[in-house]
Amino acid sequence: MFKKILAKIFEKIAKYRNKKYNETTNLIRCNVPVISVGNLSVGGTGKTPFVQMLSKYFISRNLKIGIVGRGYKRKSKGEIIVSDGVNILADADEAGDEMLLLANSLKIPIIADDDKSKAAKSMEQKFAPDLIIVDDGFQHRKLYRDIDIVLLDRDTIENPKLLPEGRLREPLTSIQRADVIVLTGSIELSDELKELVSNQIIIKVKQIKANPYYLNGKEPNFNSLNTYRKGIFAFAGIARPDRFYDMLVEMDYKIINKKSYDDHHHYTKSDIENLIKMAKENNLSVLATTEKDAVKLIKFIDNFENEKIKVLVFPIALTIFEGKDQFFKFLNKMFPKKN
């Protein structure tokens, strides 16, 4: 009952805030296009893989991209230049796991700042990108954006309750201000959401199987992977670890044991020692984890290698399986390819 009351209060605050921004034209604007990728709920809708996929598409069209985001649960304050497009300038503690993952995989300028508007203006001034992508920007309304992309997962649709009763950051009606709605997995819009959708582009995405690699960056050979499939110890500190474990099973890996941590978990030496101990107790020499976790484990690579424990890193990638043509026609019209 108490959570329900708090959720009602939260809803009134969210509606008041949105009304204020709906009625104002006094927004911070960049001189280059801005795309926001966000969601209605907290945690685990696949934002980071979607930002990766979207960025790679624009890079393939010779567009210079910059990404800004909060750098959730980072230990630093203020602006942090995570990458200048060539060099990685921060570690996971300073940048946050998601920002560092994007920096490692994309090799483009990335700035972390609690104030995403400030970060976008800084990105524009320092790196002169052709467009800026805001990670987790749907609720950051003081920054004008040219395109709003919103991801919805099954839980968001089936349990549309506001914080703290549920996962929603704002009411479902907010989906009306999105330009593109991304459904993650084989899900459909609820009847309530269908009534709210008018001219938005709707696409569906799903995880795809990507080749794993060792924590040191090397790729395992075919025979090693076949051996690992017979038994691994899996662990993850992400919002929905079961999705990772399900992916491993779909890739024919037998999970002997597993360990889940809170989302954005900061790994300690004690955590690493415990993981190594559990692997050995299960007579296993390989641990499996996500890319998001891996960026925080690099500093412990010697601990694993000294104990002859391999860490197999599994990328989580997305592909569009419905609405792809319409989506890319929309993007191509907005952002023509550069020669």
Side-chain angles (χ1 to χ4, degrees):
M1 178 62 74
F2 185 62
K3 285 187 177 181
K4 190 180 291 290
I5 293 171
L6 288 178
K8 286 290 184 184
I9 296 171
F10 189 85
E11 181 179 15
K12 287 183 178 179
I13 294 171
K15 285 183 175 179
Y16 172 79
R17 181 176 181 273
N18 281 331
K19 184 175 184 291
K20 181 183 74 170
Y21 279 109
N22 288 341
E23 294 173 351
T24 185
T25 56
N26 188 27
L27 299 176
I28 296 171
R29 291 174 178 260
C30 293
N31 295 317
V32 297
V34 173
I35 299 177
S36 164
V37 178
N39 53 28
L40 290 178
S41 54
V42 293
T45 57
K47 262 190 306 75
T48 303
F50 191 89
V51 170
Q52 280 181 304
M53 180 184 70
L54 188 65
S55 299
K56 288 176 181 178
Y57 174 74
F58 286 127
I59 291 168
S60 74
R61 296 180 65 79
N62 296 322
L63 292 169
K64 186 178 177 183
I65 313 300
I67 294 176
V68 301
R70 179 182 174 188
Y72 189 65
K73 284 199 174 179
R74 63 191 174 105
K75 294 182 178 180
S76 59
K77 299 292 183 182
E79 178 184 292
I80 291 289
I81 299 177
V82 183
S83 170
D84 61 7
V86 178
N87 302 300
I88 304 297
L89 304 175
D91 61 20
D93 287 342
E94 296 168 321
D97 47 22
E98 292 167 339
M99 292 292 99
L100 185 57
L101 169 55
L102 291 170
N104 282 334
S105 64
L106 297 171
K107 304 296 188 292
I108 61 174
I110 292 179
I111 294 178
D113 196 319
D114 288 341
D115 189 334
K116 300 183 182 83
S117 299
K118 182 181 174 184
K121 296 299 289 184
S122 182
M123 175 67 71
E124 185 178 40
Q125 293 163 7
K126 290 181 171 71
F127 299 106
D130 295 315
L131 67 92
I132 295 170
I133 296 176
V134 184
D135 178 70
D136 197 16
F138 195 58
Q139 285 76 37
H140 190 81
R141 297 202 59 190
K142 69 178 181 179
L143 175 66
Y144 176 83
R145 69 288 310 277
D146 297 83
I147 298 176
D148 251 317
I149 300 175
V150 177
L151 282 77
L152 299 177
D153 63 359
R154 184 177 298 280
D155 189 59
T156 301
I157 292 174
E158 294 181 351
N159 301 290
K161 296 178 181 178
L162 274 87
L163 292 167
E165 188 180 14
R167 293 174 58 229
L168 286 182
R169 299 175 176 183
E170 53 183 310
L172 280 181
T173 51
S174 299
I175 201 70
Q176 292 173 306
R177 69 175 193 266
D179 300 293
V180 179
I181 298 171
V182 182
L183 302 177
T184 60
S186 300
I187 57 176
E188 302 292 338
L189 290 174
S190 63
D191 290 339
E192 182 181 0
L193 281 171
K194 286 178 182 178
E195 292 180 1
L196 300 173
V197 171
S198 53
N199 298 318
Q200 290 99 325
I201 293 171
I202 300 175
I203 65 175
K204 292 183 179 182
V205 299
K206 63 181 178 181
Q207 287 186 11
I208 55 175
K209 299 171 183 177
N211 293 328
Y213 56 89
Y214 292 124
L215 188 59
N216 62 12
K218 295 180 180 179
E219 295 183 3
N221 59 41
F222 180 79
N223 290 333
S224 294
L225 287 179
N226 276 341
T227 300
Y228 300 152
R229 284 190 174 94
K230 297 175 183 177
I232 56 172
F233 186 107
F235 70 98
I238 59 177
R240 299 299 182 85
D242 286 345
R243 292 181 181 176
F244 172 57
Y245 305 143
D246 290 344
M247 183 185 78
L248 293 178
V249 173
E250 289 172 7
M251 295 174 71
D252 297 324
Y253 287 86
K254 182 180 180 181
I255 301 176
I256 304 298
N257 205 345
K258 58 191 176 185
K259 172 71 174 175
S260 298
Y261 298 90
D262 291 339
D263 193 17
H264 303 283
H265 179 69
H266 286 283
Y267 289 94
T268 65
K269 185 179 179 182
S270 176
D271 290 328
I272 304 310
E273 291 172 348
N274 191 40
L275 286 168
I276 292 170
K277 178 183 176 183
M278 287 188 288
K280 291 185 173 182
E281 286 174 351
N282 286 274
N283 296 315
L284 297 172
S285 61
V286 62
L287 295 164
T289 195
T290 73
E291 268 191 320
K292 183 174 163 181
D293 292 284
V295 296
K296 295 174 286 189
L297 298 172
I298 295 296
K299 61 184 178 182
F300 299 111
I301 193 166
D302 288 342
N303 299 72
F304 291 115
E305 291 183 350
N306 290 340
E307 298 293 336
K308 295 182 170 52
I309 296 291
K310 301 280 189 183
V311 179
L312 206 55
V313 181
F314 287 80
I316 296 177
L318 297 177
T319 186
I320 302 172
F321 69 93
E322 193 171 306
K324 183 176 181 178
D325 290 345
Q326 184 186 16
F327 178 59
F328 286 124
K329 281 181 182 178
F330 172 68
L331 292 182
N332 294 345
K333 184 177 180 180
M334 292 284 292
F335 311 104
K337 183 177 181 179
K338 289 187 71 176
N339 296 322

